[in-house]
Amino acid sequence: MHVTGTVPPPAPQRNPDRHTRRFGLPVATALVMGNIIGGGIFLLPASVAPFGTVSLLAFGVLTVGAIALALVFGRLAARDPRTGGPYVYAREAFGDFAGFLAAWAYWITTWVSNAALAVAAVGYLDVLIPVNDHRWTACLAALVLQWLPALANFAGTRYVGAVQLVSTVLKFLPLLLVAVGGLFFFDADNLGPFNASGGGAVGAVSASAAILLFSYLGVESAAVSAGEVKDPRRTVGRATVIGTAGAALVYLLGTLSVFGTVAHDRLVGSTAPFSDAVNAMFGGTWGGWAVALAALVSMTGCLNGWTLLSAQTPYAAAQDGLFPSAFARKRRGVPTVGVGVTVVLASLLTVYNYASGSGQVFEILVLVTTFTATVPYLLATAAQLFHLLSGRRDQVDRARLVRDAVVAAVAAAFSLWLVAGAGYAAVYQGVLFLFAGVLVYAVMAGRRKAALG
């Protein structure tokens, strides 16, 4: 398909050392699945239980939107397989400012989310080893959980990929045990009413969807790391779709199995629905420890992947002069300055959270990231629509053009739904974060123009 502009070729491959390894399809898929599925899945069934089984319908609708977004990222990566993902696509289509906004918003999302993920992981660690008895012990544990994945990143892409693949396999074993094994213990009497909210079915779908919307954040993971992927034009799209579909299957089967093994009235008040499901299936009380361990592995793997992504987008922007040049430094295939800055910022936010003695400020910041994550999604989807509409109609397959346009429209609707689900307060405060980025852009753009004379 003919498109406007010139797409730069992929960066030449460097001679790899033993610490550097480009990701193949298995590792790229594990990156997508591992980043989509963190620790939230272990609470999701209880979170949506008050709405009844209508929430499964909402899950199905969201899955269609998430896969459409995955297909869009695959098509964009095939067109421009450089590291940076949404940043690259937005900048190539709409210029430096749009690209910077995508990079800035995505960077904020990653390091604030990393801090949140580490704090949440401490809650699961406390089930195995008491660490929450003193807040500074818990703070130290959260910092260790952030720095261990960072050290794996500093060691090189070879180790990042190994950790991601192993943690993804380990996290999916217990999830699949419940998702598949629970079907053999399924009791329809446990499901409860189809719509337990008391309102209309459409309202119940929308309400449950607002909770589930953010379960698919991370679908862009392979596209962001495209420069580290083997044969990215082909592999990124396949890994993105396979990873998103795999995560969706685990979500749907896992939630359905928990619904069918734990009585509805008990599930509504459950704080550990997967533990309750394991105990209901096999008896005993060991389910809590098993699920806590699985959640801890899941979140550690998620931190490993998100730490890499947090450095990849600033790396791409720094190469174009839109982020400080230090972010463009790579060692062993990893932008080490970006990893270091990200883990330091996340650590400072974590310490501030524990020092304040209240999670309120922290929770507000985390909610803001649910909005900032949608900014690069919308810009990437808009870039795809731009390329589809600006191409020469007589040089494209009309059937494929229509198909790609429909997929892009569904992805755009999904992205807008994410914005709506974030809520008014999150959108308001998220816009303030974006406006702060405008000042940073002014400084970087001004310096770059002065350097060019």
Side-chain angles (χ1 to χ4, degrees):
M1 179 178 64
H2 174 78
V3 293
T4 59
T6 301
V7 179
Q13 295 186 22
R14 301 168 301 278
N15 292 327
D17 59 27
R18 64 189 181 89
H19 303 288
T20 304
R21 177 175 294 173
R22 294 171 71 84
F23 302 148
L25 180 61
V27 173
T29 302
L31 187 65
V32 175
M33 295 181 74
N35 285 356
I36 290 176
I37 299 181
I41 186 174
F42 296 96
L43 293 175
L44 270 182
S47 300
V48 297
F51 301 102
T53 53
V54 70
S55 57
L56 296 175
L57 179 61
F59 236 141
V61 174
L62 291 176
T63 297
V64 172
I67 291 178
L69 189 60
L71 289 169
V72 167
F73 277 119
R75 296 287 292 145
L76 288 168
R79 183 182 183 279
D80 193 347
R82 290 179 292 163
T83 291
Y87 159 75
V88 172
Y89 314 142
R91 180 174 180 267
E92 199 275 326
F94 308 121
D96 287 349
F97 184 61
F100 174 84
L101 284 182
W104 177 260
Y106 195 74
W107 186 54
I108 291 172
T109 300
T110 53
W111 64 263
V112 176
S113 296
N114 275 8
L117 201 58
V119 171
V122 169
Y124 290 104
L125 179 63
D126 189 62
V127 176
L128 305 172
I129 306 172
V131 293
N132 273 335
D133 293 340
H134 193 283
R135 67 178 177 178
W136 291 116
T137 303
C139 179
L140 179 61
L143 293 176
V144 169
L145 287 169
Q146 289 176 52
W147 278 91
L148 285 177
L151 291 177
N153 275 265
F154 286 132
T157 51
R158 176 188 182 97
Y159 301 98
V160 174
V163 170
Q164 196 66 24
L165 192 58
V166 171
S167 63
T168 299
V169 171
L170 290 179
K171 85 164 70 172
F172 275 98
L173 289 177
L175 290 174
L176 288 175
L177 173 65
V178 175
V180 178
L183 299 179
F184 294 95
F185 297 87
F186 194 90
D187 185 351
D189 292 336
N190 289 327
L191 292 177
F194 174 72
N195 180 8
S197 67
V202 175
V205 169
S206 297
S208 56
I211 297 175
L212 299 169
L213 274 171
F214 311 109
S215 302
Y216 287 109
L217 294 184
V219 65
E220 74 291 343
S221 300
V224 172
S225 297
E228 310 306 326
V229 176
K230 298 176 184 176
D231 188 14
R233 294 185 189 276
R234 185 165 179 258
T235 303
V236 168
R238 293 172 64 194
T240 302
V241 173
I242 293 172
T244 304
L249 183 64
V250 172
Y251 276 149
L252 289 167
L253 283 181
T255 303
L256 178 63
S257 293
V258 172
F259 272 29
T261 53
V262 182
H264 180 260
D265 56 349
R266 183 183 176 190
L267 182 60
V268 169
S270 176
T271 57
F274 272 79
S275 295
D276 292 339
V278 171
N279 292 335
M281 290 162 57
F282 303 109
T285 58
W286 56 273
W289 288 280
V291 171
L293 181 60
L296 193 59
V297 170
S298 176
M299 293 176 130
T300 303
C302 195
L303 278 166
N304 178 67
W306 277 108
T307 299
L308 176 63
L309 297 191
S310 68
Q312 295 284 26
T313 298
Y315 164 78
Q319 286 189 312
D320 297 323
L322 299 181
F323 259 60
S325 59
F327 284 88
R329 298 174 190 165
K330 266 193 175 184
R331 185 183 179 193
R332 297 173 176 176
V334 174
T336 49
V337 172
V339 169
V341 172
T342 292
V343 73
V344 167
L345 288 173
S347 297
L348 290 174
L349 181 57
T350 301
V351 172
Y352 174 73
N353 175 64
Y354 283 102
S356 67
S358 171
Q360 184 176 6
V361 174
F362 191 74
E363 289 171 3
I364 291 173
L365 288 173
V366 172
L367 186 60
V368 169
T369 66
T370 60
F371 164 72
T372 58
T374 65
V375 174
Y377 286 2
L378 277 171
L379 286 171
T381 304
Q384 172 70 343
L385 289 170
F386 167 79
H387 293 311
L388 291 174
L389 294 173
S390 63
R392 288 274 304 275
R393 305 299 174 83
D394 58 341
Q395 294 183 7
V396 298
D397 182 337
R398 290 186 179 276
R400 183 170 188 172
L401 177 64
V402 172
R403 182 173 67 249
D404 284 352
V406 170
V407 169
V410 173
F414 176 71
S415 301
L416 288 172
W417 201 0
L418 283 170
V419 175
Y424 293 108
V427 172
Y428 167 74
Q429 293 171 69
V431 168
L432 294 180
F433 271 89
L434 291 181
F435 282 179
V438 172
L439 300 178
V440 175
Y441 173 79
V443 173
M444 295 305 303
R447 290 177 59 185
R448 185 174 60 157
K449 184 174 182 180
L452 293 175

mmCIF file of all heavy atoms in Angstrom, residues 3-9 79-80 82 92:
data_model
loop_
_atom_site.group_PDB
_atom_site.id
_atom_site.type_symbol
_atom_site.label_atom_id
_atom_site.label_comp_id
_atom_site.label_asym_id
_atom_site.label_seq_id
_atom_site.Cartn_x
_atom_site.Cartn_y
_atom_site.Cartn_z
ATOM 1 N N VAL A 3 1.920 4.907 0.956
ATOM 2 C CA VAL A 3 1.645 5.809 2.064
ATOM 3 C C VAL A 3 2.506 7.045 1.913
ATOM 4 O O VAL A 3 3.519 7.048 1.233
ATOM 5 C CB VAL A 3 1.937 5.155 3.437
ATOM 6 C CG1 VAL A 3 0.969 4.027 3.684
ATOM 7 C CG2 VAL A 3 3.369 4.620 3.491
ATOM 8 N N THR A 4 2.091 8.096 2.589
ATOM 9 C CA THR A 4 2.874 9.321 2.541
ATOM 10 C C THR A 4 4.082 9.189 3.447
ATOM 11 O O THR A 4 4.083 8.446 4.406
ATOM 12 C CB THR A 4 2.023 10.506 3.017
ATOM 13 O OG1 THR A 4 1.596 10.244 4.344
ATOM 14 C CG2 THR A 4 0.815 10.691 2.136
ATOM 15 N N GLY A 5 5.124 9.980 3.130
ATOM 16 C CA GLY A 5 6.307 9.964 3.973
ATOM 17 C C GLY A 5 7.231 8.830 3.605
ATOM 18 O O GLY A 5 6.904 7.940 2.834
ATOM 19 N N THR A 6 8.401 8.879 4.182
ATOM 20 C CA THR A 6 9.405 7.851 3.955
ATOM 21 C C THR A 6 9.661 7.120 5.250
ATOM 22 O O THR A 6 9.953 7.739 6.272
ATOM 23 C CB THR A 6 10.724 8.477 3.453
ATOM 24 O OG1 THR A 6 10.455 9.178 2.247
ATOM 25 C CG2 THR A 6 11.769 7.403 3.213
ATOM 26 N N VAL A 7 9.547 5.814 5.225
ATOM 27 C CA VAL A 7 9.749 5.017 6.423
ATOM 28 C C VAL A 7 11.208 4.604 6.506
ATOM 29 O O VAL A 7 11.710 3.944 5.598
ATOM 30 C CB VAL A 7 8.873 3.753 6.406
ATOM 31 C CG1 VAL A 7 9.140 2.929 7.663
ATOM 32 C CG2 VAL A 7 7.414 4.140 6.329
ATOM 33 N N PRO A 8 11.921 4.993 7.569
ATOM 34 C CA PRO A 8 13.319 4.612 7.678
ATOM 35 C C PRO A 8 13.445 3.101 7.813
ATOM 36 O O PRO A 8 12.572 2.450 8.376
ATOM 37 C CB PRO A 8 13.781 5.325 8.969
ATOM 38 C CG PRO A 8 12.747 6.367 9.234
ATOM 39 C CD PRO A 8 11.472 5.837 8.677
ATOM 40 N N PRO A 9 14.517 2.524 7.299
ATOM 41 C CA PRO A 9 14.723 1.093 7.455
ATOM 42 C C PRO A 9 15.042 0.759 8.897
ATOM 43 O O PRO A 9 15.426 1.641 9.669
ATOM 44 C CB PRO A 9 15.930 0.812 6.546
ATOM 45 C CG PRO A 9 16.673 2.111 6.530
ATOM 46 C CD PRO A 9 15.618 3.178 6.587
ATOM 47 N N ARG A 79 4.865 -2.110 9.020
ATOM 48 C CA ARG A 79 5.185 -0.954 8.193
ATOM 49 C C ARG A 79 6.452 -0.248 8.666
ATOM 50 O O ARG A 79 7.264 0.217 7.869
ATOM 51 C CB ARG A 79 4.000 0.013 8.221
ATOM 52 C CG ARG A 79 4.189 1.219 7.338
ATOM 53 C CD ARG A 79 3.005 2.161 7.444
ATOM 54 N NE ARG A 79 3.225 3.266 6.520
ATOM 55 C CZ ARG A 79 4.004 4.321 6.797
ATOM 56 N NH1 ARG A 79 4.616 4.392 7.954
ATOM 57 N NH2 ARG A 79 4.163 5.278 5.900
ATOM 58 N N ASP A 80 6.629 -0.169 9.994
ATOM 59 C CA ASP A 80 7.769 0.559 10.558
ATOM 60 C C ASP A 80 8.270 -0.190 11.796
ATOM 61 O O ASP A 80 7.847 0.104 12.920
ATOM 62 C CB ASP A 80 7.338 1.975 10.934
ATOM 63 C CG ASP A 80 8.525 2.884 11.219
ATOM 64 O OD1 ASP A 80 9.645 2.358 11.371
ATOM 65 O OD2 ASP A 80 8.339 4.114 11.289
ATOM 66 N N ARG A 82 10.569 -0.275 14.063
ATOM 67 C CA ARG A 82 11.606 0.285 14.914
ATOM 68 C C ARG A 82 11.179 0.262 16.368
ATOM 69 O O ARG A 82 9.990 0.252 16.692
ATOM 70 C CB ARG A 82 11.906 1.725 14.497
ATOM 71 C CG ARG A 82 12.618 1.867 13.159
ATOM 72 C CD ARG A 82 12.849 3.336 12.845
ATOM 73 N NE ARG A 82 11.593 4.043 12.571
ATOM 74 C CZ ARG A 82 11.472 5.373 12.591
ATOM 75 N NH1 ARG A 82 12.509 6.115 12.911
ATOM 76 N NH2 ARG A 82 10.317 5.936 12.295
ATOM 77 N N GLU A 92 5.865 9.545 12.987
ATOM 78 C CA GLU A 92 5.979 9.384 11.544
ATOM 79 C C GLU A 92 4.736 9.917 10.830
ATOM 80 O O GLU A 92 4.827 10.468 9.735
ATOM 81 C CB GLU A 92 6.210 7.909 11.207
ATOM 82 C CG GLU A 92 6.779 7.638 9.824
ATOM 83 C CD GLU A 92 5.693 7.561 8.763
ATOM 84 O OE1 GLU A 92 4.585 7.089 9.083
ATOM 85 O OE2 GLU A 92 5.947 7.977 7.622
#
